[in-house]
Amino acid sequence: GGGEATGRGEATGGGEATGGGPAPPVVPLRPPQCEGSVELLGASGGTAIVQCSSLRRPPSVWAVKDGGEWTCLVDVGSLVEKHDAGPHCEQARAALRELRSARLEKVRLPEEEGGSEALCLLPAGASRAPWTLKIHGGPHSASLDSWSVEVALLLASGVCVIQPNYRGSIGFGDDFCAALPGHVGEMDVGDCVALTRASLAQLDESLDPARGGAYGGSHGGFLTAWLLGCEERALYSCGVLWNPVVDLPAMLGTTDIPEWVSAEGLQGDAAGADATWPVGAEDLLELHRRSPLSVIDRVEAPALMLLGAADQRVPHKQGRSWVSALQQVRQRKGAPADVTALEFPGEGHAIASLEGNAHAQQSAVAWLVERLRGESNAS
């Protein structure tokens, strides 16, 4: 049989009819007692292999043949519990135990406000704790209940994590996904702000409204840059931007997918045709209006920029232009810009090398923790 992973993190398996017989039913591929998301890694000869994980449990890999009993091949959590090679192992075990006791809440906006939702992960007993809005990229991707090293590190440091699925995210239906193109820098920004406010209201005893930040990569970095300069920017006291899109017109001549800029940033005509490519002069003005660089003069919060020097998807000059513009604006106002840029030579969009990725993630988490936990508690 074959299968696919759905946007809600559920793997499915099934097959085509053979020999003229009926096709077998498509059934969820979920091992027993596995919470969170399931990803189908492969299927052949009647055997399926899946990976299970959640925000509170590290990955495990399972196999099943012909719909029979499941066999666990690897369980990272069990390996950590059994391994004993010094004090760091005990720290890892303590962190995993704390993570398993964390609270997972869902926050959802009313349908008349777009119906976006967020996953909120809070340390057990969190009270007026700092938090980070961790924003997925794409924009046609999704934040799932699946393992994330960065989320685990933030939780272990006492920082709550809000993961928004704004309009344009996958897994919530075609209409929800298709709503965003032509409205970036507006609809997605509004959803992130609304989900932030809804989370603070629903979890008011757990989250400190005065100690929040934003963190995102690619389109998530685009949204982080917007949140630091939008009308509601006081919600976010700092931000981390990982290879962000900040200047849509400049992207047209530098990215390896220039048609993405047109498709996401411009609306089609009244007859329903797609946005045109190449773009015209009026289109360039519209793209600038939808770019976070257009509100750089409002940014006052500290920021950390993480850049892959060999990124062809979002060239590193995007992030560098934002840093330079912020420094110039702040200098004219007589106040230095609190911004740091880390550039990783030879790295692409994902900063994917083992050493580079670990350095980038640890730098982002440590920077956020220092600023969010260092703020005085408003309560």
Side-chain angles (χ1 to χ4, degrees), residues 183-222:
H183 301 282
V184 296
E186 179 184 359
M187 178 183 289
D188 44 3
V189 176
D191 282 358
C192 285
V193 169
L195 285 168
T196 299
R197 289 203 173 280
S199 299
L200 292 173
Q202 181 173 318
L203 306 169
D204 62 318
E205 295 185 359
S206 300
L207 303 177
D208 184 349
R211 292 193 294 164
Y215 173 22
S218 194
H219 192 79
F222 170 90

Side-chain angles (χ1 to χ4, degrees), residues 1-327:
E4 61 181 9
T6 69
R8 294 188 181 274
E10 183 74 57
T12 60
E16 297 180 355
T18 58
V26 176
V27 296
L29 290 175
R30 179 175 290 276
Q33 299 179 337
C34 281
E35 62 180 33
S37 298
V38 180
E39 178 184 0
L40 179 64
L41 301 180
S44 179
T47 298
I49 299 178
V50 302
Q51 175 177 284
C52 306
S53 74
S54 74
L55 289 167
R56 293 176 288 188
R57 289 184 180 274
S60 58
V61 178
W62 295 73
V64 64
K65 184 174 178 63
D66 296 329
E69 295 294 322
W70 285 92
T71 301
C72 182
L73 305 178
V74 179
D75 184 346
V76 174
S78 296
L79 291 177
V80 172
E81 288 292 344
K82 295 175 182 177
H83 191 62
D84 190 6
H88 294 302
C89 291
E90 182 52 43
Q91 291 175 354
R93 285 192 285 270
L96 286 181
R97 287 193 292 270
E98 184 175 344
L99 195 62
R100 284 194 289 269
S101 66
R103 194 165 109 238
L104 183 62
E105 300 282 349
K106 183 179 290 186
V107 174
R108 183 174 174 83
L109 300 180
E111 289 297 330
E112 58 270 22
E113 297 178 20
S116 297
E117 65 178 47
L119 295 174
C120 304
L121 193 62
L122 307 95
S127 176
R128 305 290 283 181
W131 51 272
T132 293
L133 188 76
K134 191 171 185 301
I135 315 168
H136 72 73
H140 307 298
S141 180
S143 291
L144 303 174
D145 182 12
S146 60
W147 178 253
S148 165
V149 171
E150 290 173 307
V151 171
L153 290 172
L154 287 166
L155 261 289
S157 303
V159 177
C160 305
V161 179
I162 304 171
Q163 296 194 143
N165 281 309
Y166 47 86
R167 276 172 288 181
S169 303
I170 61 174
F172 301 88
D174 291 343
D175 291 343
F176 189 89
C177 182
L180 182 60
H183 301 282
V184 296
E186 179 184 359
M187 178 183 289
D188 44 3
V189 176
D191 282 358
C192 285
V193 169
L195 285 168
T196 299
R197 289 203 173 280
S199 299
L200 292 173
Q202 181 173 318
L203 306 169
D204 62 318
E205 295 185 359
S206 300
L207 303 177
D208 184 349
R211 292 193 294 164
Y215 173 22
S218 194
H219 192 79
F222 170 90
L223 290 172
T224 299
W226 258 113
L227 294 175
L228 295 183
C230 73
E231 294 290 344
E232 305 283 348
R233 59 191 177 277
L235 285 169
Y236 311 98
S237 61
C238 61
V240 175
L241 305 88
W242 180 309
N243 284 326
V245 177
V246 299
D247 186 350
L248 290 170
M251 277 279 285
L252 287 169
T254 54
T255 180
D256 60 350
I257 50 169
E259 64 279 5
W260 174 90
V261 180
S262 173
E264 298 293 345
L266 299 173
Q267 299 181 34
D269 61 26
D274 291 338
T276 57
W277 169 254
V279 301
E282 292 299 321
D283 294 329
L284 291 175
L285 291 175
E286 176 66 8
L287 289 173
H288 174 72
R289 189 182 72 81
R290 295 191 176 278
S291 300
L293 199 61
S294 67
V295 293
I296 191 69
D297 60 314
R298 299 177 184 171
V299 177
E300 297 181 353
L304 173 66
M305 183 72 68
L306 303 171
L307 300 171
D311 190 352
Q312 297 183 49
R313 183 58 42 88
V314 182
H316 71 289
K317 290 181 180 179
Q318 285 276 312
R320 284 199 167 276
S321 69
W322 191 86
V323 171
S324 178
L326 180 61
Q327 290 171 333

